[in-house]
Amino acid sequence: MAEELKSIPEPPKEVIVRVKRYDPDKNKTWWQEYKIPTYRGMTVLDALLWIKEHLDPTLSMRYSCRMGVCGSCGMLINGVPRLACQTQVGAVATPENPVITVEPLPNFPVVRDLITDFSGFFEKHKSIKPYIIRKDPKEVDEAPREFLMKPEELEEIYQYTLCIMCGLCYAACPVAASDPEYLGPQALTQAYRFIADVRDEGAEERIVVVDTEHGCHRCHFAASCSAVCPKEVDPAAAIQRLRRIVFLRRLGLWKKEKGSPVAGPLEKPLREVKAEYPKHNLLPGVDPEQQAKEPVTIDFREEWLKE
Amino acid sequence: MGRASSIQIWQYITAIILIFVLTFHLIERVPGLSPLGAKSYEESVEVEPVKKAYSSYGWILGTLLIVALFHGLNGLRGMLLELRTGKGWRIFVETVIWLLFVIFGAIGLHTVLAMT
Ligand code: SF4
Ligand code: SF4
Ligand code: FES
């Protein structure tokens, strides 16, 4: 979903941002329009923040990283779930139609304006036990070294590890719209991600959670979840793979890949790391060897604060 | 509630059986291939050849009836359970679906058995 910058046309000089607002105190929903100037590279989140700074400080939205990493700024932009910080104004508004509609994500309870409540979503994520489970918990809790994993084993699950829990897939899912108890594409994808992980031994515990009326069998494979994912995760495929595992396991035909062992203690260091300092880069009087031994104290001056 | 995969497995099994019995049922209408020996489509839907079909391979038609009924009603059950959630609704839907299965199954099987 993330547009390539060079392919994005210049935004119109001015756009109208049409925001669906909600005031929980008055239990009132209404549409509000703001006319704002744009610049090349402006994102929808920038536009909303411009409105907040210059026109309407009461407009509420959630964001954090502003770079498509934290997953906080998901909203419905021109009818499609997107990350506001990753959506260029030029990609969603044209000179012929300079209107951008912004709504809170569907399938989530709205808290205020564009802010939605993710607690149910996170609960579903938690329910599938999104962490490595080993038969002997000590192997995780007191692991002296990492688990071994082959590159091709990592490749199998890699794309699913990129999920930032933005909830766009959940907002796009027609089943989540009709069945609020449906685990949803994000949680089911993570269930697959951990079941397929060779380091994990907790498939049984997760299958109990996903093999229900509101679990993986509910998915219609409409794939709208995969279409909107900003990280190019393919939840629809993961769910179908999960269904296959659950189905084969019921028939007694599924066998988990052999668990990965914990790496044993190294007999000798892989390589000796010898720090070498490019001396010409050092300030006069700085001795890096000495610095490595002693804690660095920064002489903080009062006047720096005043600047 | 049992595991959803149990009901899903039955959905797959009935789907596989349906492929065979439905193919057989459709072939009945194809002149030349028809086990009824019908020379044309029209002939294959006339009363006498159809009666003959029930008496000679009624069990295939009976299987088609039960399997298609289960498969279809199970699909309907899934859709209705998606419309609303809650224990009460689930019990209501499952009761209605089983009732429909028993009633239509009994009427259909009665017809098949009466002809054989
Ligand atoms: S799968 Fe994609 S859309 Fe869904 S929560 Fe993860 S990153 Fe967001
Ligand atoms: S593929 Fe499944 S999870 Fe994804 S949107 Fe469709 S129904 Fe929802
Ligand atoms: S603000 Fe973090 S993903 Fe948009």
Side-chain angles (χ1 to χ4, degrees), chain A residues 169 172-176 182 184-185 218-226 235-236 239:
Chain A
C169 53
C173 176
V175 177
Y182 177 48
R218 191 52 106 228
C219 171
H220 287 192
F221 198 27
S224 36
C225 50
S226 303
I239 297 169

Side-chain angles (χ1 to χ4, degrees), chain A residues 45-285:
Chain A
L45 182 62
D46 293 333
L48 293 169
L49 290 172
W50 196 92
I51 294 168
K52 200 169 168 65
E53 272 171 33
H54 297 91
L55 303 174
D56 183 354
T58 68
L59 182 62
S60 310
M61 80 282 297
R62 183 170 49 214
Y63 66 96
S64 180
C65 68
R66 303 196 196 187
M67 52 191 277
V69 172
C70 70
S72 315
C73 66
M75 44 190 87
L76 200 68
I77 300 168
N78 284 0
V80 178
R82 304 176 203 246
L83 294 180
C85 70
Q86 219 182 45
T87 307
Q88 292 279 315
V89 168
V92 285
T94 57
E96 300 77 48
N97 186 15
V99 182
I100 304 171
T101 58
V102 187
E103 299 164 68
L105 281 182
N107 303 345
F108 290 92
V110 183
V111 177
R112 175 185 288 274
D113 294 343
L114 300 167
I115 302 172
T116 44
D117 179 3
F118 265 51
S119 36
F121 177 82
F122 291 141
E123 279 308 316
K124 287 174 181 173
H125 175 74
K126 253 167 65 186
S127 74
I128 59 95
K129 307 184 187 230
Y131 39 80
I132 299 285
I133 300 172
R134 299 285 283 197
K135 288 200 183 97
D136 176 6
K138 274 195 193 147
E139 285 184 4
V140 174
D141 299 340
E142 295 160 27
R145 287 182 186 279
E146 71 273 28
F147 295 117
L148 295 179
M149 197 180 198
K150 293 190 198 121
E152 57 275 19
E153 291 168 343
L154 171 67
E155 219 169 88
E156 180 62 32
I157 56 160
Y158 179 64
Q159 62 154 317
Y160 307 117
T161 66
L162 300 178
C163 173
I164 55 169
M165 288 198 256
C166 63
L168 300 194
C169 53
Y170 192 88
C173 176
V175 177
S178 60
D179 177 0
E181 285 177 48
Y182 177 48
L183 274 175
Q186 192 275 340
L188 289 170
T189 301
Q190 290 312 302
Y192 174 73
R193 174 246 176 279
F194 282 98
I195 290 174
D197 191 318
V198 288
R199 298 166 299 173
D200 184 77
E201 293 171 351
E204 296 302 312
E205 291 176 43
R206 289 191 197 93
I207 287 175
V208 173
V209 182
V210 300
D211 186 6
T212 69
E213 291 291 348
H214 306 286
C216 58
H217 299 289
R218 191 52 106 228
C219 171
H220 287 192
F221 198 27
S224 36
C225 50
S226 303
V228 299
C229 176
K231 293 288 157 194
E232 311 214 333
V233 179
D234 189 350
I239 297 169
Q240 298 314 306
R241 286 178 182 166
L242 184 61
R243 277 170 75 140
R244 183 169 165 269
I245 290 176
V246 171
F247 179 63
L248 291 177
R249 201 192 130 275
R250 281 302 262 175
L251 301 177
L253 298 174
W254 183 68
K255 238 178 93 212
K256 168 96 186 173
E257 299 267 316
K258 221 170 114 256
S260 66
V262 181
L266 297 174
E267 278 167 14
K268 58 174 183 166
L270 286 175
R271 63 193 160 111
E272 230 167 273
V273 185
K274 213 176 187 179
E276 276 189 14
Y277 301 96
K279 295 274 184 304
H280 59 277
N281 278 354
L282 295 176
L283 294 173

